[in-house]
Amino acid sequence: MLPDVATFSIMGKGPKYANLDRKDVKFKSSKSDAEIQLIPVSEIKSLIYTNEETQEQFQLDKRLVKEVNKNQELESEGKVLMLPLMEKGPINLYGYRSMMCKADFGNNFAAGSNGNEDNCQLTYVMIYLSKSEDTVAIAPVDYPSLSPLDLFNLKTLYKKFYTAYEIVGADCPEFLKKVDEARQNDYFSNKTFRENKKAMDAERKALLKGKKGAEASRINMKYRTELFTNMYKKLIDDYKESCK
């Protein structure tokens, strides 16, 4: 499950509005329990919960999140966030979606924008990388903090992606060769993004046939989410294969 951040600005509002920077968690032992306990995040490692209708399990893990700075180094401080787990593996993939939605008069936030409505467009998926056993997660690019000028210098941004994987996969020399190979081939690029989009479009359009409104929006949101995350998964798969 990905939490959604709905805004009406170009680059979004960041993890604060996805409620990832919570300081405590409200807990009840059952739905009917009138008493609510506040558990400090400092005492929590992970939150695992189950959708009662579908029986699907979702997980949020506490991580000290650090960004890759302009010098291609990991910042020293960081911030503690509860990160939604997207894909579990030797390198875990965490993230949330940020969207632009049609404005409600007098309100800067859409009342019920959950990514499945036809008034929202996905702008980016904020990604974090972390080893399963680590307490630190790496944000290759902090999209909410980007300026319009940053977007005109995408090659500099893409360099941070390779640095992030080199840091998180530093224990495996074979994997570092894969990262360097990806760098030499300009894997993180608009060209790769366009190729992935073209490869997915036929299936997406087939599913959209005869669909309108919220139903069509759900299909588009699913495929656009995958489009934004599949670029990251390729090197995660490389780590799995190289570091058994």
Side-chain angles (χ1 to χ4, degrees):
M1 187 187 87
L2 287 175
D4 297 319
V5 181
T7 74
F8 304 103
S9 62
I10 290 177
M11 289 315 296
K13 296 290 184 180
K16 176 178 173 57
Y17 288 84
N19 201 22
L20 303 184
D21 64 342
R22 66 194 77 188
K23 299 297 180 281
D24 47 46
V25 173
K26 294 178 181 178
F27 174 78
K28 295 200 300 182
S29 55
S30 68
K31 270 188 177 181
S32 59
D33 196 341
E35 183 182 354
I36 297 176
Q37 301 176 50
L38 285 179
I39 304 175
V41 163
S42 59
E43 298 178 12
I44 294 173
K45 180 180 178 182
S46 296
L47 294 172
I48 301 172
Y49 55 100
T50 304
N51 182 310
E52 291 183 347
E53 294 179 3
T54 65
Q55 295 304 303
E56 289 178 282
Q57 278 201 334
F58 303 106
Q59 183 168 330
L60 295 102
D61 293 334
K62 183 175 69 178
R63 291 291 190 273
L64 176 64
V65 174
K66 296 187 176 186
E67 298 167 16
V68 177
N69 64 26
K70 62 182 180 181
N71 298 318
Q72 302 298 314
E73 298 170 344
L74 205 58
E75 64 176 351
S76 56
E77 297 296 326
K79 55 196 169 191
V80 175
L81 301 177
M82 293 297 297
L83 299 180
L85 180 63
M86 293 172 59
E87 188 167 304
K88 190 175 180 63
I91 296 176
N92 285 348
L93 189 67
Y94 299 92
Y96 68 86
R97 293 187 295 210
S98 183
M99 303 171 296
M100 281 198 297
C101 302
K102 292 177 184 176
D104 213 355
F105 283 107
N107 181 7
N108 283 333
F109 297 90
S113 52
N114 60 8
N116 295 327
E117 300 186 9
D118 56 3
N119 66 341
C120 296
Q121 292 291 325
L122 183 67
T123 53
Y124 63 84
V125 178
M126 182 65 196
I127 293 291
Y128 306 89
L129 304 168
S130 179
K131 289 283 192 60
S132 298
E133 68 277 8
D134 280 356
T135 58
V136 174
I138 300 171
V141 176
D142 183 25
Y143 290 108
S145 70
L146 295 181
S147 69
L149 186 62
D150 292 324
L151 297 177
F152 283 104
N153 195 10
L154 289 175
K155 282 195 173 182
T156 299
L157 289 180
Y158 288 139
K159 288 179 183 177
K160 295 184 176 184
F161 289 56
Y162 305 112
T163 300
Y165 278 100
E166 285 172 337
I167 294 170
V168 79
D171 62 331
C172 182
E174 288 302 312
F175 172 67
L176 295 181
K177 292 178 185 177
K178 294 279 190 180
V179 177
D180 193 52
E181 183 181 317
R183 180 188 284 111
Q184 299 303 320
N185 293 329
D186 283 332
Y187 172 72
F188 288 110
S189 64
N190 290 344
K191 180 175 179 287
T192 301
F193 188 85
R194 287 194 301 268
E195 288 174 350
N196 288 348
K197 184 176 185 299
K198 186 177 180 180
M200 297 171 68
D201 262 358
E203 184 177 344
R204 180 183 65 84
K205 288 176 180 176
L207 286 173
L208 280 173
K209 198 170 182 179
K211 308 289 195 309
K212 292 182 179 179
E215 189 177 8
S217 182
R218 277 193 290 273
I219 294 169
N220 278 323
M221 188 64 72
K222 174 183 179 293
Y223 276 86
R224 282 188 63 79
T225 300
E226 288 182 3
L227 179 62
F228 275 83
T229 55
N230 281 350
M231 285 180 71
Y232 292 90
K233 292 179 182 178
K234 188 264 182 194
L235 281 172
I236 290 176
D237 290 340
D238 284 345
Y239 184 89
K240 289 178 188 176
E241 294 171 9
S242 304
C243 314
K244 295 176 182 178

